[in-house]
Amino acid sequence: MAEAAGAEDKTPRTERGRRTRRALLDAAALEFGEHGFHLASISAITRRAGVALGSFYTYFDSKDAIFRALVSDMSARVRDHVAPAIRGAPDALAAERAGLDSFLGFVRDHKEIYRIIDEAEFVDPASFRRHYASTAERIAHRLREAAARGEVRADVEDAHAWAVMGMNVFLGLRYGVWAEDRPTGQVADVIADFLRRGLAA
Amino acid sequence: MAEAAGAEDKTPRTERGRRTRRALLDAAALEFGEHGFHLASISAITRRAGVALGSFYTYFDSKDAIFRALVSDMSARVRDHVAPAIRGAPDALAAERAGLDSFLGFVRDHKEIYRIIDEAEFVDPASFRRHYASTAERIAHRLREAAARGEVRADVEDAHAWAVMGMNVFLGLRYGVWAEDRPTGQVADVIADFLRRGLAA
Amino acid sequence: MAEAAGAEDKTPRTERGRRTRRALLDAAALEFGEHGFHLASISAITRRAGVALGSFYTYFDSKDAIFRALVSDMSARVRDHVAPAIRGAPDALAAERAGLDSFLGFVRDHKEIYRIIDEAEFVDPASFRRHYASTAERIAHRLREAAARGEVRADVEDAHAWAVMGMNVFLGLRYGVWAEDRPTGQVADVIADFLRRGLAA
Amino acid sequence: MAEAAGAEDKTPRTERGRRTRRALLDAAALEFGEHGFHLASISAITRRAGVALGSFYTYFDSKDAIFRALVSDMSARVRDHVAPAIRGAPDALAAERAGLDSFLGFVRDHKEIYRIIDEAEFVDPASFRRHYASTAERIAHRLREAAARGEVRADVEDAHAWAVMGMNVFLGLRYGVWAEDRPTGQVADVIADFLRRGLAA
DNA sequence: AATGAATGAGAGTTCATTCAT
DNA sequence: TATGAATGAACTCTCATTCAT
């Protein structure tokens, strides 16, 4: 039900197959995260997953294919992690703060995601655009609704949504590099305050 | 330890050598920009530059070395292009707007830079950090001075500088993808207004 | 040592088994005919036959084994198709004409056979020699008997039989390539006349 | 000047390069002759030629490419060997006899050619057709001229040329298998007589 | 008897780098 | 300094065959 809806029928039919596929995906996340797409090797992935090299091709057609599967897997997990935090927020600006905080936390716990998402643009441009476009659209949608409710300035436009996403992505993906010791909440607070004043009605 | 200073040993002595080195660098910008670091090949670079494969090593120690040389070359060019625009601005917020606009224009005219800078983080983490840290530091410095002059809020901190840089980088590097038809000035205006309200004293 | 006799151990016991074996053989004829021995894959054969990969080894010991089974299957079918035509001919030279015509017709209707027979020499030299030697011997036998009856020259020898077979095989196997539009009967006529009187003025 | 007139500029520029290319071609003839196209391996070819694996790709783009180069190399050599024998013959039928004899001799001395030519049809159909079509056309041309001179029957047609070629190819390529001990001249004599007068009593 | 996951040796090919001329 | 041939390790991918269920 993930990458391309049935692709070519590489879907495992047995429980054992399901476990092997999962192991490969997890191993791939680590390998791609550590070495990047081009330096990651399929033989390293299978070694990490504890299966024979040839078994890889029982589940994925190619190196590209597993990368794509991984990206959509991770997008979904990020979304599933961030969405509840946003939904629980009292108003639009609190939602943005909660979303950033939740994203920072997720990345901190899954450092591999950082490089994988960054490379997705070049390895799989189509899914990259889909990913960012849908994120931006979600933010824009929230802002427009908030404007209608009078929570934020009435003249918000899409550029604001992209700017917010840009800050979040840049801060989120580089947070480990930038300031590992700083609690994520603190950063989220500074940015939330900045957003509030920039976007307030 | 040689990257920045100019390679100390491989510096060409003759005029002809200087031209060949420049041709390699230009060819490398195109090749890395089109294919990315790992898929770019030295033999393609030399072919584009019109020199023999073996000649490459007269000027650069390795594939990494020419990439590093290229990244610092380009950082310098971006800086040289953006700096005057910033210096000419009447106040701190106008400077940020001018900087973003100028950066958007530069990227539009040098599309290769987009991918090269994006990859620099993984190919050459050291120079990547140097590059972003110095940019962030420049922004932070401007904001602190502006705060001292009362042009922006007194409680600005480094997180603001990183957020501003994040928006700029994300918008700048993806501007082609995002909204090719939109004049860069318009985007810069929206963002400038957002910044003004967010950072105003 | 098992190829000809019918495999002795892998013979199916049930009706269902018999059908599966037949399906594999038919699928193999198409697959080997289309791609040649080395590029044909067992998994493609089982897919075409509609059975699971593993089931293949219930019926054949190896890829070589099914190829051998196929070659003897097809030799027998060619023989069964051509023999009646030859038997019905009034004299030796008419028999050769009828044999060629019948062979051309068979190949036209079973194009796969073309490549399979051509490759048999390399995949399974033993059965290849058997196949051609017995064909040549049959022709030689007919010619010797015809000579005894005074229908053909008295000094015929084995080389003549091989020459006749060479023409037939070359024309027959390449007929599709060479002259698809020409009726097989016409070609058979030209060759029959040639056999009768040669090229001299 | 051989395979495809300049292909992609893999032509060696130095004397050493020329020698290496020749060594690869000779090694390939043996390897393809012994094992056939698919079982021949590039690493075996380079081992036989005494060069490193990677050097192969300095001279040929692929396994297919060297096979094609080899086939045209060998066609040319066969032609160069057979042509003088044919030219020296007193009349058309003597020419056919001389051509067959010369071909049988060539194949006996270069056994590798046997399998290579036989496989060319499947590996490189285009050059296969070119090869046989041009051979058949040469024979047909000789026969038509001989008919004009009154040396052979006036009603010769292309089918005769194909039949002659079929006999020659079949006898020539299988002669080693069939009758290693028999002098080629003897076979050529039998066939020449057959060509002249056919099989009728 | 039937299934499909698992195996691993081996293939063709690429490419950064070295070296003799 | 310039050239281009030489190198070999590393890579992705295939497939006949085996095995547990």
Side-chain angles (χ1 to χ4, degrees):
Chain A
M1 83 216 43
E3 54 269 49
E8 181 87 4
D9 200 10
K10 295 255 174 183
T11 321
R13 269 124 181 65
T14 68
E15 183 48 31
R16 186 182 183 194
R18 233 126 31 212
R19 273 203 312 277
T20 304
R21 194 189 128 102
R22 187 73 253 161
L24 285 168
L25 235 20
D26 291 342
L30 296 178
E31 181 70 11
F32 285 129
E34 272 171 36
H35 301 109
F37 183 78
H38 292 286
L39 296 183
S41 89
I42 290 181
S43 96
I45 292 173
T46 52
R47 216 176 308 121
R48 285 177 113 131
V51 302
L53 175 54
S55 301
F56 177 90
Y57 294 91
T58 305
Y59 300 100
F60 302 98
D61 278 329
S62 63
K63 194 183 185 182
D64 275 74
I66 197 178
F67 188 85
R68 276 194 293 269
L70 196 54
V71 170
S72 68
D73 193 60
M74 292 202 137
S75 300
R77 279 156 77 176
V78 171
R79 210 165 33 243
D80 292 351
H81 184 265
V82 171
I86 288 177
R87 261 197 307 278
D91 64 56
L93 291 169
E96 294 314 318
R97 187 226 175 268
L100 172 58
D101 193 27
S102 166
F103 180 55
L104 292 172
F106 188 88
V107 173
R108 170 172 291 182
D109 293 343
H110 301 273
K111 290 234 162 62
E112 337 78 70
I113 206 182
Y114 164 40
R115 186 165 196 170
I116 293 169
I117 290 194
D118 243 44
E119 279 197 318
E121 170 167 16
F122 301 113
V123 174
D124 181 12
S127 90
F128 164 81
R129 289 187 196 194
R130 238 182 294 124
H131 175 75
Y132 279 117
S134 75
T135 304
E137 180 43 40
R138 257 195 319 276
I139 297 176
H141 180 72
R142 288 202 298 269
L143 291 180
R144 283 192 301 267
E145 289 196 330
R149 288 193 305 270
E151 288 171 25
V152 304
R153 49 196 282 193
D155 64 345
V156 288
E157 49 173 302
D158 289 356
H160 291 114
W162 278 82
V164 169
M165 177 169 64
M167 291 187 324
N168 286 4
V169 168
F170 199 82
L171 293 173
L173 294 185
R174 266 115 192 134
Y175 189 69
V177 176
W178 168 39
E180 288 202 326
D181 50 329
R182 222 180 200 196
T184 61
Q186 217 176 96
V187 177
D189 283 337
V190 171
I191 301 305
D193 178 58
F194 172 48
L195 281 180
R196 185 169 351 261
R197 297 173 54 171
L199 293 174
Chain B
M1 76 214 50
E3 62 263 54
E8 75 190 54
D9 172 34
K10 299 257 171 180
T11 319
R13 271 111 181 72
T14 69
E15 181 49 30
R16 184 186 183 191
R18 233 135 19 221
R19 272 205 311 278
T20 303
R21 193 188 128 100
R22 187 71 250 166
L24 286 169
L25 233 21
D26 291 342
L30 296 178
E31 181 71 11
F32 285 128
E34 272 171 35
H35 303 298
F37 182 78
H38 292 285
L39 297 182
S41 87
I42 291 186
S43 104
I45 292 172
T46 53
R47 215 177 308 121
R48 283 176 113 132
V51 303
L53 176 55
S55 302
F56 178 88
Y57 292 88
T58 306
Y59 299 100
F60 301 97
D61 277 329
S62 65
K63 192 183 186 182
D64 276 74
I66 195 178
F67 188 86
R68 278 194 293 267
L70 196 56
V71 170
S72 55
D73 192 59
M74 292 202 137
S75 300
R77 280 157 77 178
V78 171
R79 207 163 37 242
D80 291 353
H81 184 266
V82 171
I86 290 178
R87 260 199 307 279
D91 63 56
L93 291 169
E96 293 315 319
R97 187 223 175 271
L100 172 56
D101 194 25
S102 167
F103 180 54
L104 291 171
F106 188 87
V107 172
R108 170 171 293 181
D109 293 342
H110 301 272
K111 290 235 161 64
E112 336 79 71
I113 205 183
Y114 166 39
R115 185 165 196 169
I116 293 169
I117 289 195
D118 243 44
E119 280 196 318
E121 169 166 17
F122 303 114
V123 174
D124 181 13
S127 90
F128 165 82
R129 288 187 198 192
R130 235 183 296 123
H131 174 75
Y132 279 116
S134 74
T135 303
E137 180 44 39
R138 257 195 319 276
I139 297 176
H141 179 71
R142 288 201 299 269
L143 291 179
R144 283 192 302 268
E145 288 196 331
R149 290 195 303 271
E151 288 170 24
V152 305
R153 49 197 282 195
D155 64 345
V156 289
E157 49 173 304
D158 288 357
H160 291 112
W162 278 82
V164 169
M165 177 169 66
M167 290 189 323
N168 287 3
V169 167
F170 198 82
L171 293 174
L173 293 185
R174 266 112 193 137
Y175 189 69
V177 175
W178 168 40
E180 286 202 326
D181 50 330
R182 222 176 200 200
T184 59
Q186 213 175 99
V187 178
D189 283 338
V190 171
I191 301 304
D193 177 59
F194 173 50
L195 282 180
R196 186 169 353 259
R197 298 174 56 170
L199 294 176
Chain C
M1 82 211 44
E3 61 264 52
E8 78 191 54
D9 171 34
K10 298 258 170 177
T11 319
R13 270 113 183 71
T14 69
E15 181 49 29
R16 183 185 183 192
R18 235 140 14 224
R19 271 205 312 279
T20 304
R21 195 189 126 100
R22 186 72 250 164
L24 285 169
L25 233 22
D26 291 341
L30 295 178
E31 181 72 9
F32 285 129
E34 273 172 34
H35 303 298
F37 182 79
H38 292 286
L39 297 182
S41 87
I42 291 186
S43 103
I45 292 172
T46 53
R47 216 176 308 122
R48 285 177 113 131
V51 303
L53 176 55
S55 302
F56 178 89
Y57 291 88
T58 306
Y59 298 100
F60 301 97
D61 278 328
S62 65
K63 193 184 186 182
D64 276 74
I66 195 177
F67 188 84
R68 278 195 292 268
L70 195 55
V71 170
S72 55
D73 192 59
M74 292 203 138
S75 300
R77 280 157 76 178
V78 171
R79 210 166 33 242
D80 292 351
H81 185 266
V82 171
I86 289 178
R87 260 199 306 281
D91 65 54
L93 291 170
E96 294 314 319
R97 187 225 174 269
L100 172 57
D101 193 27
S102 166
F103 180 55
L104 291 171
F106 188 88
V107 173
R108 172 171 290 182
D109 293 342
H110 301 273
K111 290 233 161 64
E112 337 79 70
I113 205 183
Y114 166 39
R115 185 165 198 170
I116 293 169
I117 289 195
D118 243 46
E119 280 196 318
E121 169 166 16
F122 302 114
V123 173
D124 181 13
S127 91
F128 164 81
R129 290 186 198 194
R130 234 182 297 120
H131 173 75
Y132 279 117
S134 74
T135 303
E137 181 43 41
R138 256 195 320 277
I139 297 177
H141 180 69
R142 289 202 299 269
L143 290 180
R144 282 192 301 269
E145 288 195 331
R149 287 194 306 271
E151 286 170 26
V152 304
R153 47 197 283 193
D155 63 345
V156 290
E157 51 173 302
D158 288 359
H160 291 114
W162 279 82
V164 168
M165 177 169 65
M167 290 188 324
N168 286 4
V169 167
F170 199 82
L171 293 174
L173 293 185
R174 267 108 192 142
Y175 190 69
V177 176
W178 169 39
E180 288 201 324
D181 50 331
R182 220 180 201 196
T184 60
Q186 215 176 94
V187 177
D189 283 337
V190 171
I191 302 304
D193 177 59
F194 171 46
L195 282 180
R196 189 171 348 259
R197 51 177 285 232
L199 292 175
Chain D
M1 81 215 48
E3 54 269 48
E8 181 87 6
D9 200 11
K10 294 255 174 184
T11 321
R13 270 125 180 64
T14 69
E15 182 48 32
R16 186 181 183 194
R18 233 125 31 210
R19 273 204 311 278
T20 304
R21 195 190 128 101
R22 186 72 253 164
L24 285 168
L25 234 20
D26 291 342
L30 296 178
E31 181 71 10
F32 284 129
E34 271 172 35
H35 302 109
F37 183 79
H38 292 286
L39 296 182
S41 89
I42 291 181
S43 97
I45 291 173
T46 52
R47 217 176 306 121
R48 285 177 111 129
V51 302
L53 176 53
S55 300
F56 177 90
Y57 293 90
T58 306
Y59 300 101
F60 301 98
D61 278 328
S62 64
K63 194 184 185 182
D64 274 74
I66 196 177
F67 188 84
R68 275 194 294 268
L70 198 54
V71 169
S72 68
D73 193 59
M74 293 203 137
S75 300
R77 280 157 76 176
V78 170
R79 209 165 33 243
D80 291 351
H81 185 264
V82 171
I86 288 178
R87 261 199 306 278
D91 64 56
L93 291 169
E96 292 315 318
R97 188 226 173 267
L100 173 57
D101 193 26
S102 167
F103 181 55
L104 291 171
F106 189 89
V107 172
R108 172 172 290 181
D109 294 342
H110 300 272
K111 290 235 162 61
E112 336 80 69
I113 206 184
Y114 165 40
R115 186 166 196 169
I116 293 169
I117 290 194
D118 244 44
E119 279 195 318
E121 169 165 17
F122 302 114
V123 174
D124 180 14
S127 92
F128 164 82
R129 287 186 198 195
R130 241 181 292 124
H131 175 73
Y132 279 117
S134 74
T135 304
E137 181 43 40
R138 260 197 314 278
I139 298 178
H141 180 71
R142 288 203 297 269
L143 291 180
R144 282 192 302 267
E145 288 196 331
R149 288 194 306 269
E151 287 170 26
V152 305
R153 47 197 284 193
D155 64 344
V156 290
E157 49 173 303
D158 288 358
H160 291 115
W162 278 81
V164 169
M165 177 169 65
M167 289 188 324
N168 286 4
V169 168
F170 200 82
L171 293 173
L173 293 186
R174 267 111 192 136
Y175 188 70
V177 176
W178 170 39
E180 287 201 326
D181 49 331
R182 220 178 203 197
T184 60
Q186 216 175 96
V187 177
D189 283 337
V190 171
I191 301 306
D193 178 58
F194 170 46
L195 280 180
R196 191 172 345 261
R197 51 177 284 233
L199 294 175

